[in-house]
Amino acid sequence: MTKQKKVCMLGAFAVGKTSLVARFVKGIFDERYLTTVGVKTDRKDVAVGDETVRMVLWDIQGEDELQPIKPSYMTGASGCLLVVDGTRPETLDVARRLKIWGEANAGPIPFVMLLNKVDLTADWALQDEDLQGDNRPGCRVIQTSAKTGEGVEDAFRILAEKMTAGDA
Amino acid sequence: MSDEALSADHETRAAERPEDPAPTPEANLDALESLRDIVFGKRLEQLEVLRDRVGRLKVTLAELHASADQRDAAAARELAERIAATDALGARLDELQARATRIESEARTALAEGADAAEALARRVDAAEALAERVEGEGGLAERIEHVERLTDRVDDIERLAQRVQDIDRLDERLATVEPVRERVVDEDLRAEDVGAVLPRAVAARARKDGQLAASLRPTIEDTLEASVRRNPQALVDIIFPVLGPAIRKMIGSAITSMVGSINRAVESSFTIRGLKWRMQAWRTKRSYAEIALMHGLVYRVEELFLIQRGSGLLLAHASRGPESEEPEVISGMLTAITDFVRDSFDVEQGSEVETFRVGDLTLVVKGGSKAVLAATVRGVPPPALHDRLQTSIEEVHRDYGRQIDAFDGDMESLAGVEALLEPNLLEEAKGRKKRGPASLVFWVLLAVVAATAVTSLVTNRMRAARVERDVRQLARTLQAEPGIVVTDVHEGDERWIVEGLRDPLAADPEELRAKSAVDGEDVELRMGAYRSLEPVFVQRRLLDRLSVPDTVRATWRDRTLVLTGPVYSAWIRTALQAVADVPEVDGVDISGLTPDPALDALLVSRAVLIAQRVPVDTPVTDELIASVREQVEGARTTAGERFAVELQVITLLPRAEDEPKARAQAATVVRLLERAGIQSTEVFRSPADLARPKPDDLMPAGDSPEIRFDLTVRLAEGGR
Ligand SMILES: Nc1nc2c(ncn2[C@@H]2O[C@H](COP(=O)(O)OP(=O)(O)O)[C@@H](O)[C@H]2O)c(=O)[nH]1
Ligand SMILES: [Mg+2]
């Protein structure tokens, strides 16, 4: 059985949302920085047990923090990936705020928090204690790199599992 | 020392004296010594203590003095005085001691000298005692101490005061630094300047902190915007368009790029003979392959149908004819994002849908219900009936599957039957041969463009309205400037602009002027009443039309005077004079160049005669008739001479169609007989329709039955003018 699920990418500007989607869906990473406007959707199937979760990924292009996202973006979402740039601790605050905002608009859906750019070890600026309170049953925290692919499959798979668990 | 103790001493002395009436010097000395011990010992002890205390006080005072010195000069001076007083007290005590010592030595001397001396000494001691008492009583050391203590308190006070003064000094200092600030605060210009300097940072800081600033600014900004938009909407449009237009195009552009890859592959792989032909054509005409593909084929065809869950954008069902999109879920999501964007950005009423996205031959029709949206991709021009059909279809979907849609968990199987409701909408109407192939995918490339254009067009609608108005007004000015056209009103109708006015029938065609302008025919209706313009051009043209100036005459204008030159039959001169006199806008007519020509007059006469000779078709053609016609023609030729050509027309008037064969046969006979007599003629047949529109030279109206008329036309011979 195949089930479609709307998944929203949320996170501050340039944390790597688009790169993560590209890595996950197409298996590519492009260092060039592209900002565009609007929303782009992508699709990827993930097998969970004997089910297939068809993730329809909504990614806001070039969203900047001063411009509030429209609530319609979250409507009907079954899950959400919160992306943090591990080299910029302030993006963690943004992610936390976006989580509250997301829950307000889509209800209590599963979240997975991605601490992205883990390949940039020299610049890494997040301590474990910074994340106390984030890694909870409702919100797993995973280190990822869109560049090397580390953790990316895991993150999406975990979200897929959580979303199907919600159905059962 | 207590008073009790002193009185006890006195008793002791009183008791001793009567017991020792003749004291020995020795005993006296002892007594004196013990007296001294008693009196002075205690005194000295006390003095010692006092001295000690005074010393300590001095130290304290010195300290206080030192500190007071620092703080308060006046207090310090007072302190110094007090200390001096205390010093004096100390000095007197010293002196007292010195005197006591002297007294002692004197007493010793006195003892040595005799008992009298002792007596005297005793008196002196008494005096000393009294002195001591006085010293005690006078100063009241305790009081002094108390005083000093009060002094100390005051010093404390002074100290606090000094502290205050210091505080005040500091305050003054700070006040000095504050003063310029105060000035800035008081001076509005300076303040404005200051606030201006920090405002951007302040705003940024607050915005980082929370959304309060935005929240409180919002109403003001919105009001201002609204007011300014109301006052001058064009300004906003001018500002927004360059920003929003490209942004939207960019957004949709990115949607396209993701699809283009797969589409291209599909297009490339669809190499049919026809596809190849189209590709050639595209290459030749430098247009896109897809465009060419669309040119051939269909009136319209519904290619794909997407049933989309409202809000989430999830695909509920999908139906297509021919090859379908690879990732309909992505298209479904993107479509939702685009329509959401349009709705959010342009304040489209909640629940109402942007129904069509169109460019050229391609249309995306969207019909929305409360739970789901039906989107159809249509190639060609969708007929209005299709809209109704899709509307009905989405209503059926809501009726039959409303609950399943509410419960939709992403599993399309749960809505398995819904496709059956959609499929009947996959309609098409062929233009000719059927077309298959990659159209669906090609379509998507184009659809993206369509969508981009549609969204943009939504933005541009208002701009377009403004532009149309500008162009219409420009057109009205052009019309107004045109001779023979008067614009009386320009206003906006329900669907289009309306330009009202008057037009001389001889003036330029307003529709033609419109076609040359920027205005689309659909945007304006030209309502032109007829009138006669008094502008010279029109007056002159009308006059000449009425005069039906003969070929032999040239008509020109000298200002408002008509100048006529050339040969003419005399009767026409009168006609011309009369006609000109009737037109007040023409000053006069110059006929000095007209030459009345008798030959032309004669021709006119013979023509009249000839026309008088008309023959009903069923009368036989006699030799006399032919001879008579020949005579007239030859007579005219002789008169006309070389300058004029004379032509004979055999005109058959046919008021009834059924007479035609008979009349034609008769006419042919006449022509043949004339020819035999050496006269060339031209046959003319005038049908019932022709006769319904009489010519100006039809001097005699046609009767009910067919007849043949002989008509002589005279015109200047070639090279004769
Ligand atoms: N080194 C590194 N760079 C990354 C990673 N993910 C994204 N980037 C870079 O970060 C920038 C922003 O990425 P993007 O995906 O556009 O961020 P978005 O604004 O959140 O969509 C781009 O220059 C990416 O190349 C990562 O895991 N490692
Ligand atoms: Mg991005």
Side-chain angles (χ1 to χ4, degrees), chain A residues 13-14 16-19 33-36 59-63:
Chain A
F13 190 59
K17 300 182 291 294
T18 304
S19 304
Y33 187 68
L34 293 169
T35 71
T36 46
D59 178 26
I60 295 188
Q61 307 279 302
E63 161 257 337

Coordinates of all heavy atoms in Angstrom, one line a residue, chain A residues 13-14 16-19 33-36 59-63, ligand 2:
Chain A
F13 N 17.0 30.6 7.0 CA 17.6 30.8 5.7 C 19.0 30.1 5.6 O 19.8 30.2 6.5 CB 17.8 32.3 5.6 CG 18.2 32.8 4.3 CD1 17.3 32.6 3.2 CD2 19.3 33.5 4.1 CE1 17.7 33.1 2.0 CE2 19.7 34.0 2.9 CZ 18.8 33.8 1.8
A14 N 19.1 29.4 4.5 CA 20.4 28.8 4.1 C 20.9 27.7 5.1 O 22.1 27.5 5.2 CB 21.5 29.9 4.0
G16 N 20.1 24.7 4.7 CA 20.3 23.5 3.9 C 19.1 22.7 3.6 O 19.1 21.5 3.2
K17 N 17.9 23.3 3.7 CA 16.6 22.6 3.4 C 16.6 22.1 2.0 O 16.4 20.9 1.8 CB 15.4 23.6 3.6 CG 15.3 24.1 5.0 CD 14.1 25.0 5.2 CE 14.2 26.3 4.4 NZ 15.3 27.2 4.9
T18 N 16.9 23.0 1.1 CA 16.8 22.6 -0.3 C 17.9 21.6 -0.7 O 17.6 20.6 -1.4 CB 17.0 23.8 -1.2 OG1 16.0 24.8 -0.8 CG2 16.8 23.5 -2.7
S19 N 19.0 21.7 -0.1 CA 20.1 20.8 -0.3 C 19.8 19.4 0.2 O 20.1 18.4 -0.4 CB 21.4 21.3 0.3 OG 21.8 22.5 -0.1
Y33 N 24.9 28.2 -4.4 CA 23.8 28.6 -3.6 C 22.7 29.3 -4.4 O 22.9 30.3 -5.0 CB 24.3 29.6 -2.5 CG 23.2 29.9 -1.5 CD1 22.8 28.8 -0.7 CD2 22.6 31.1 -1.5 CE1 21.8 29.1 0.2 CE2 21.6 31.3 -0.6 CZ 21.2 30.3 0.3 OH 20.2 30.5 1.1
L34 N 21.6 28.6 -4.5 CA 20.5 29.1 -5.3 C 19.4 29.6 -4.4 O 18.9 28.8 -3.5 CB 19.9 28.0 -6.2 CG 20.9 27.5 -7.2 CD1 20.3 26.2 -7.8 CD2 21.1 28.5 -8.3
T35 N 19.0 30.8 -4.5 CA 17.7 31.1 -3.8 C 16.7 31.5 -4.9 O 16.9 32.2 -5.8 CB 17.9 32.3 -2.9 OG1 18.0 33.5 -3.7 CG2 19.0 32.2 -2.0
T36 N 15.5 30.9 -4.7 CA 14.4 31.2 -5.6 C 13.2 31.6 -4.7 O 13.3 31.6 -3.5 CB 14.1 30.0 -6.4 OG1 14.1 28.9 -5.6 CG2 15.1 29.8 -7.5
D59 N 9.1 22.5 0.0 CA 10.2 23.3 0.4 C 10.0 24.7 0.0 O 9.7 25.0 -1.2 CB 11.5 22.7 -0.3 CG 12.7 23.5 0.0 OD1 12.8 24.1 1.1 OD2 13.6 23.5 -0.8
I60 N 10.1 25.6 1.0 CA 10.0 27.0 0.6 C 11.3 27.5 0.1 O 12.4 27.2 0.6 CB 9.7 27.9 1.9 CG1 8.3 27.5 2.4 CG2 9.7 29.3 1.5 CD1 7.8 28.3 3.4
Q61 N 11.2 28.1 -1.0 CA 12.4 28.6 -1.7 C 12.8 30.0 -1.3 O 11.9 30.9 -1.4 CB 12.2 28.6 -3.2 CG 11.7 27.2 -3.7 CD 12.8 26.2 -3.9 OE1 13.8 26.4 -4.6 NE2 12.7 25.1 -3.2
G62 N 14.0 30.2 -0.8 CA 14.4 31.5 -0.6 C 13.6 32.3 0.5 O 13.6 33.5 0.5
E63 N 13.0 31.5 1.3 CA 12.2 32.2 2.4 C 13.1 32.9 3.3 O 14.2 32.4 3.6 CB 11.4 31.1 3.1 CG 11.0 31.5 4.5 CD 11.8 31.0 5.6 OE1 12.5 30.0 5.4 OE2 11.8 31.6 6.7
Ligands
MG2 MG 16.1 26.6 -0.2

